[in-house]
């Protein structure tokens, strides 16, 4: 068997975060949006240390020759240097030009002392809990929280260590003050440091350094832990903030002997101990109190009209006549809310089923499902409690819906249900089943900035398969080989998804060898699973032209002789987060288009219930293909991934294409 090469998963993810950082220095991006990209980069990196770094640390400890950890650390260090340079040399000077004095790595101006001192005593002081470390050696640094390490001497010249919390869970990280016609933005950290003498009144000398710990955020869930997933998860979530430390950041200048003391006190020997910048949690930059539309993206009002829907017909009746497609966030998400709202009040609706992976904090969809249950309808909701970092919110909504009479189903511990589906069953209707199949979560919050596609259809054979899947998921069992569940229209992970995609690729290989039209265009968030990657390599070697748009992790190595000469990989980062998964197969000229929830990752293929679905409506199929074509032709926000995992900018002609803007204009014209 031919031996192929693959990028490392974690290094590929760091390449994606590098692409995010590139937007922070992109002069075409408005100032405030560039600051947000710095925030996203920092937030991504924190998650990397909570989730990926624990695995890399364990691998390094088991194999001292393993170099991935060292490579990742070197890459992160280089990216952090670029972060600091971007902020200091570009962002802060531009803020000054805009009349905003951002006090970054500088002392609070003396002429602001009166205002900052008043703010400290009126807003901050009562939230501080200084801890003397020698007296309280059992004190615990919580995950991702900010602290100040205080080193002080009393009159007897004895040195003491203390930790003071920075209460960003109750106060904004940045405080804006106005003086002499200019805005000053000050770190909460600096306001506390300015007033440390009030916390340690007997101190003759005080030094202070910012510190922070990231901890392992993985939850330890096993199938034999019992049936009550809610109770198990709530116990695990309480433990999450006390997970094993993976990274300790400290401000430059901390004396080495005190660093050693801190490492011992907080048991940080197995963590990455890194000298960071002066400030940590740069993800807070997203909340910088600077509101100026001139420095933000120009508004793109959401397209409110969707072709085929009018004020005289219900959405359900419209769906019975034709398939509909909503492209979020370009088009209004109200159509999706209307689907659930009509289900709640329509007297002909008997049953409502849906999956919910990440429930919106103030979910209108969940409220509609509650109303449907109270209105006497059978409502079954599969809430995936194990959606990482959304567990607590999903538990809250599960309890609320269950109390209202909704039947709540949770998946078994070892598998996640990531499919995005909803189904309504009506009595006395020509088309009794109406459904919704999506590429993204049924979440009106994230729908404002995630690009996704939602199909609304009355295709009865496909929806019967959706109902069959809901019936199976309601049994709360892991799929087994003995399960006789067959699907003709849907591609369902654990059943036929991987097999069908391999068959579709094989058909393109045969067509290429026979001189027929062939080609594959795939848009994903992540491409990792080796069986499918190998088939893409085989298709490339057979002469199939393959275009891949992969936002984040991509283990496939493009442009390698004898392996991937016919494969090109691009990555798009812009104002909206690219999230939709789309699969286009040329099929001799009779194109087949699939969409769905599944990335091509090990977890999606082997450990989740995912659903991809065909687009049968010719008009909608052409619409999707046109959108993907615009993304492929993007020259302004797309980069090419080369065989060294570098983000290579594309050559920009005078008429450069920005795909998200082009898609917005296309959909605006289509629905005008």
């Amino acid at each position: 068997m031919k031996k192929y090469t693959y990028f490392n998963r974690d290094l590929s993810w760091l390449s994606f975060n590098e692409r995010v950082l590139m937007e922070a220095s992109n002069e075409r991006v408005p100032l405030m949006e560039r600051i947000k990209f710095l925030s996203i980069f920092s937030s991504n990196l924190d998650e990397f240390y909570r989730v990926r770094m624990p695995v890399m640390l364990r691998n390094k400890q088991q194999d001292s020759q393993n170099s991935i950890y060292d490579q990742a650390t070197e890459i992160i260090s280089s990216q952090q240097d670029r972060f600091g340079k971007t902020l200091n040399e570009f962002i802060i000077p531009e803020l000054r030009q805009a009349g905003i004095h951002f006090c970054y790595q500088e002392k609070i101006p003396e002429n602001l002392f009166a205002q900052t001192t008043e703010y400290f005593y009126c807003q901050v002081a009562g939230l501080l809990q200084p801890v003397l470390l020698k007296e309280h050696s059992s004190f615990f640094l919580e995950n991702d929280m900010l602290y100040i390490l205080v080193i002080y001497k009393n009159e007897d010249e004895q040195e003491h260590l203390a930790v003071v919390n920075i209460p960003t869970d109750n106060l904004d990280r940045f405080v804006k003050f106005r003086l002499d016609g200019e805005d000053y933005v000050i770190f909460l950290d600096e306001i506390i440091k300015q007033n440390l003498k009030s916390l340690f009144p007997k101190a003759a000398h005080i030094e202070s350094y910012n510190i922070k710990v990231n901890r392992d955020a993985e939850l330890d869930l096993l199938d034999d832990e019992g049936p009550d997933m809610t109770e198990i998860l709530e116990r695990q979530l309480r433990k999450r903030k006390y997970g094993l430390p993976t990274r300790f950041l400290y401000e430059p200048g901390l004396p080495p002997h005190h660093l050693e003391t801190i490492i011992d006190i907080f048991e940080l020997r197995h963590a990455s101990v890194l000298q960071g910048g002066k400030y940590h949690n740069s993800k807070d930059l997203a909340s910088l109190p600077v509101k100026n539309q001139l420095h933000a993206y120009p508004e793109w009002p959401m397209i409110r009209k969707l072709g085929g829907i009018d004020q005289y017909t219900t959405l359900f009746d419209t769906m019975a006549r034709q398939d509909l497609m909503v492209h979020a966030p370009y088009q209004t998400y109200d159509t999706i809310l209307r689907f659930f709202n009509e289900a709640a009040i329509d007297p002909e609706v008997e049953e409502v089923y849906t999956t919910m992976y990440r429930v919106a904090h103030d979910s209108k969809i969940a409220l509609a499902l509650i109303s449907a249950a109270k209105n006497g309808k059978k409502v079954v909701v599969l809430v995936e409690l194990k959606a990482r970092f959304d567990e607590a919110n999903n538990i809250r909504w599960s309890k609320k819906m269950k109390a209202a009479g909704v039947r709540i189903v949770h998946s078994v511990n070892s598998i996640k249900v990531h499919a995005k589906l909803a189904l309504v069953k009506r009595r006395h209707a020509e088309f009794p089943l109406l459904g919704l199949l999506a590429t993204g979560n049924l979440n009106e919050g994230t729908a404002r900035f995630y690009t996704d596609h939602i199909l609304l259809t009355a295709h009865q054979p496909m929806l019967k398969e959706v109902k069959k899947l809901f019936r199976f998921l309601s049994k709360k069992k892991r799929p087994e080989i003995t399960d006789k569940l067959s699907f003709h229209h849907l591609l369902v992970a654990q059943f036929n998804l991987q097999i069908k995609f391999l068959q579709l690729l094989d058909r393109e290989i045969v067509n290429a060898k026979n001189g027929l039209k062939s080609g594959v265009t795939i848009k994903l968030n992540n491409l990792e699973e080796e069986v499918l990657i190998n088939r893409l390599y085989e298709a490339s070697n057979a002469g199939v032209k393959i275009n891949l748009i992969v936002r984040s992790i991509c283990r496939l190595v493009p442009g390698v002789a004898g392996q991937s000469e016919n494969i090109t990989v691009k990555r798009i980062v812009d104002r909206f987060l690219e999230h939709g998964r789309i699969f286009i197969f040329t099929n001799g000229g009779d194109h087949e288009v699939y969409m769905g929830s599944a990335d091509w990752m090990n977890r999606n293929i082997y450990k989740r219930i995912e659903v991809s679905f065909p687009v049968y409506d010719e008009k909608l199929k052409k619409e999707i293909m046109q959108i993907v074509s615009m993304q492929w032709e993007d020259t302004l926000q797309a980069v090419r991934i080369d065989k060294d995992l570098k983000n290579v900018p594309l050559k920009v002609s005078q008429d450069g294409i920005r795909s998200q803007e082009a898609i917005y204009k296309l959909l605006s014209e289509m629905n005008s």
Side-chain angles (χ1 to χ4, degrees):
M1 180 180 289
K2 186 176 179 63
K3 188 174 182 179
Y4 294 119
T5 59
Y6 313 92
F7 288 132
N8 174 267
R9 180 188 192 280
D10 297 311
L11 300 185
S12 178
W13 187 93
L14 290 172
S15 171
F16 160 65
N17 214 26
E18 173 81 18
R19 175 66 189 92
V20 172
L21 188 56
M22 288 168 64
E23 282 302 279
S25 55
N26 185 345
E27 294 182 355
R28 295 190 302 271
V29 177
L31 175 60
M32 290 310 303
E33 308 300 338
R34 289 161 62 190
I35 292 172
K36 287 181 183 177
F37 278 111
L38 288 178
S39 168
I40 294 168
F41 167 84
S42 180
S43 178
N44 286 347
L45 192 56
D46 276 345
E47 182 171 341
F48 184 81
Y49 270 95
R50 292 197 302 268
V51 176
R52 296 304 310 164
M53 193 57 80
V55 178
M56 295 173 67
L57 279 168
R58 287 194 290 271
N59 290 341
K60 181 178 175 65
Q61 290 161 9
Q62 294 168 6
D63 179 8
S64 59
Q65 302 302 312
N66 185 296
S67 64
I68 298 301
Y69 172 86
D70 296 325
Q71 289 181 59
T73 301
E74 185 177 340
I75 290 169
I76 291 169
S77 177
S78 173
Q79 291 178 351
Q80 293 282 47
D81 289 343
R82 180 171 182 172
F83 180 99
K85 182 177 181 180
T86 300
L87 185 58
N88 284 295
E89 297 184 11
F90 298 98
I91 302 298
I92 291 176
E94 288 188 40
L95 284 170
R96 285 283 181 90
Q97 292 176 11
I100 300 155
H101 188 129
F102 182 29
C103 295
Y104 184 82
Q105 294 187 332
E106 62 179 275
K107 292 184 178 180
I108 298 174
E110 288 188 17
N111 55 0
L112 279 177
F113 276 12
Q115 292 187 58
T116 55
T117 301
E118 180 182 16
Y119 183 83
F120 174 82
Y121 282 110
C122 294
Q123 304 294 331
V124 185
L127 300 173
L128 302 179
Q129 298 119 28
V131 176
L132 302 180
L133 293 183
K134 287 185 178 179
E135 296 178 14
H136 299 83
S137 58
S138 62
F139 176 72
F140 194 87
L141 297 177
E142 291 189 26
N143 179 45
D144 221 23
M145 295 296 290
L146 297 173
Y147 298 92
I148 300 171
L149 175 66
V150 181
I151 306 168
Y152 67 96
K153 292 180 180 179
N154 289 334
E155 294 176 355
D156 60 4
E157 289 298 308
Q158 271 199 313
E159 207 165 49
H160 302 275
L161 296 181
V163 169
V164 178
N165 61 308
I166 300 175
T168 52
D169 48 346
N170 298 108
L171 294 173
D172 292 334
R173 181 77 184 282
F174 305 104
V175 188
K176 185 167 67 175
F177 299 95
R178 185 82 173 168
L179 183 69
D180 299 331
E182 187 172 11
D183 288 329
Y184 289 80
V185 176
I186 312 293
F187 277 89
L188 179 60
D189 322 25
E190 296 297 340
I191 295 174
I192 295 171
K193 288 182 177 182
Q194 175 198 322
N195 292 277
L196 284 175
K197 184 68 175 176
S198 66
L199 298 176
F200 306 95
K202 295 181 180 180
H205 174 76
I206 298 178
E207 296 177 27
S208 59
Y209 304 91
N210 288 354
I211 60 174
K212 167 192 166 180
V213 168
N214 287 122
R215 297 185 178 276
D216 187 346
E218 283 295 276
L219 302 179
D220 186 19
L221 298 172
L222 301 173
D223 268 340
D224 58 2
E225 287 189 302
D228 192 345
M229 172 64 80
T230 302
E231 184 179 332
I232 295 168
L233 260 175
E234 287 180 319
R235 286 201 306 268
Q236 290 282 338
L237 289 173
R238 286 193 289 270
K239 295 178 183 178
R240 175 177 271 168
K241 63 181 179 180
Y242 305 115
L244 293 174
T246 58
R247 178 175 65 159
F248 175 68
L249 286 175
Y250 63 93
E251 184 180 335
L254 177 61
H257 66 287
H258 287 312
L259 175 60
E260 285 298 312
T261 301
I262 293 301
I263 290 172
D264 285 337
I265 289 174
F266 295 118
E267 300 179 350
L268 302 170
R269 289 289 170 194
H270 297 297
S272 296
V273 177
L274 303 171
Q275 177 177 285
K278 182 177 177 64
Y279 307 105
H280 309 134
N281 276 11
S282 295
K283 61 188 177 185
D284 292 336
L285 286 169
S287 64
L288 206 68
V290 179
K291 306 296 181 186
N292 188 331
Q293 193 56 42
L294 293 175
H295 301 300
Y297 284 126
E299 284 192 31
W300 290 355
M302 199 172 284
I303 302 166
R304 303 208 64 81
K305 186 178 179 183
L306 189 66
I309 299 178
D310 58 51
Q311 70 268 36
Y312 306 110
T313 312
T314 67
L315 175 64
F316 286 176
D317 286 343
T318 304
M319 290 173 61
R321 295 198 315 267
Q322 65 180 94
D323 282 0
L324 302 170
M325 183 84 73
V326 174
H327 306 285
Y330 306 103
Q331 295 173 318
T332 178
Y333 205 71
D334 286 353
T335 305
I336 309 306
L337 299 181
R338 182 171 175 174
F339 177 90
F340 291 97
N341 290 342
E342 287 194 16
I345 64 170
D346 187 339
E348 296 301 311
V349 170
E350 297 178 289
E351 301 172 12
V352 183
Y353 303 82
T354 190
T355 59
M356 300 189 83
Y357 188 74
R358 298 189 189 276
V359 188
H361 182 73
D362 53 351
S363 176
K364 294 179 180 177
I365 293 175
L367 291 175
L369 293 167
I370 287 171
S371 293
K374 289 185 175 181
N375 290 340
K377 305 174 193 309
K378 175 184 176 183
V379 182
V380 179
V381 180
L382 198 147
V383 181
E384 182 48 74
L385 295 184
K386 302 183 296 295
R388 184 182 287 151
F389 304 127
D390 277 287
E391 299 98 340
N393 185 59
N394 285 7
I395 288 172
R396 177 175 67 90
W397 274 110
S398 290
K399 291 180 176 179
K400 201 168 184 177
M401 287 189 284
K402 186 175 181 179
V406 176
R407 184 191 172 198
I408 299 295
V409 179
H410 304 310
S411 61
V412 296
N413 296 354
S414 61
I415 198 163
K416 288 184 180 181
V417 176
H418 192 249
K420 323 299 184 184
L421 304 169
L423 182 71
V424 164
K425 181 183 177 185
R426 300 187 300 171
R427 61 172 74 87
H428 310 311
E430 181 182 358
F431 299 99
L433 299 177
L434 299 174
L436 182 159
L437 303 95
T439 66
N441 299 313
L442 302 180
N443 181 317
E444 61 268 34
T446 56
R448 294 196 300 271
F449 50 90
Y450 282 30
T451 70
D452 273 307
H453 313 278
I454 307 100
L455 174 68
L456 297 104
T457 183
H459 190 284
Q460 297 301 290
M462 192 191 308
L463 295 179
K464 286 179 182 177
E465 294 185 357
V466 171
K467 186 171 184 183
K468 182 194 303 183
L469 180 59
F470 272 114
R471 191 180 301 120
F472 174 82
L473 295 176
S474 296
K475 296 178 182 177
K476 292 190 63 174
K477 59 173 289 194
R478 183 183 178 89
E480 304 290 348
I481 297 175
T482 54
D483 289 319
K484 303 298 182 182
L485 220 60
S486 61
F487 298 95
H488 175 71
H489 301 277
L490 300 182
L491 313 188
V492 183
Q494 313 301 310
F495 294 97
N496 69 332
L497 183 142
Q498 185 188 53
I499 294 171
K500 180 63 176 179
F501 276 132
L502 291 171
Q503 291 172 347
L504 291 168
L505 291 171
D506 285 342
R507 187 178 62 191
E508 297 303 319
I509 292 172
V510 171
N511 286 345
K513 290 180 177 179
N514 291 334
L516 301 175
K517 290 181 180 179
S518 66
V520 177
T521 298
I522 297 175
K523 180 173 181 283
L524 292 164
N525 296 328
N526 301 290
L527 176 57
E528 175 192 40
E529 199 273 331
E530 290 186 8
V531 173
L532 288 162
I533 290 176
N534 288 348
R535 199 61 54 92
L536 289 171
Y537 285 153
E538 291 168 15
S540 171
N541 290 334
V544 179
K545 181 73 174 175
I546 300 171
N547 297 333
L548 304 175
I549 303 174
V550 186
R551 188 195 75 209
S552 184
I553 296 168
C554 178
R555 293 194 60 218
L556 180 148
V557 184
V560 176
Q563 173 174 289
S564 52
E565 293 169 273
N566 288 308
I567 303 177
T568 304
V569 183
K570 294 183 180 180
R571 170 180 285 149
I572 298 172
V573 174
D574 202 349
R575 68 186 288 170
F576 301 136
L577 181 76
E578 291 294 339
H579 192 253
R581 293 90 165 179
I582 302 171
F583 311 87
I584 302 172
F585 301 91
T586 299
N587 187 30
D590 184 15
H591 291 82
E592 284 195 29
V593 175
Y594 288 82
M595 306 166 68
S597 62
D599 285 318
W600 283 5
M601 299 184 74
N602 293 328
R603 68 188 187 195
N604 303 92
I605 302 299
Y606 303 116
K607 296 182 180 180
R608 292 183 174 185
I609 297 292
E610 304 275 5
V611 171
S612 289
F613 51 92
V615 180
Y616 289 134
D617 182 278
E618 288 299 324
K619 177 176 173 293
L620 295 181
K621 185 191 296 186
K622 290 177 182 177
E623 192 171 294
I624 286 292
M625 292 175 62
Q626 189 172 2
I627 286 172
V628 174
S629 176
M630 287 177 167
Q631 291 170 328
W632 187 253
E633 297 301 323
D634 193 316
T635 54
L636 295 178
Q637 297 302 132
V639 297
R640 180 176 57 83
I641 308 301
D642 70 7
K643 60 184 177 63
D644 298 315
L645 199 51
K646 302 294 184 185
N647 294 288
V648 181
L650 301 175
K651 292 182 180 179
V652 181
S653 63
Q654 188 173 4
D655 301 319
I657 297 173
R658 180 184 175 196
S659 59
Q660 290 189 358
E661 183 176 35
I663 292 166
Y664 178 73
K665 289 180 178 177
L666 170 72
L667 295 175
S668 296
E669 292 168 0
M670 287 173 53
N671 294 278
S672 60

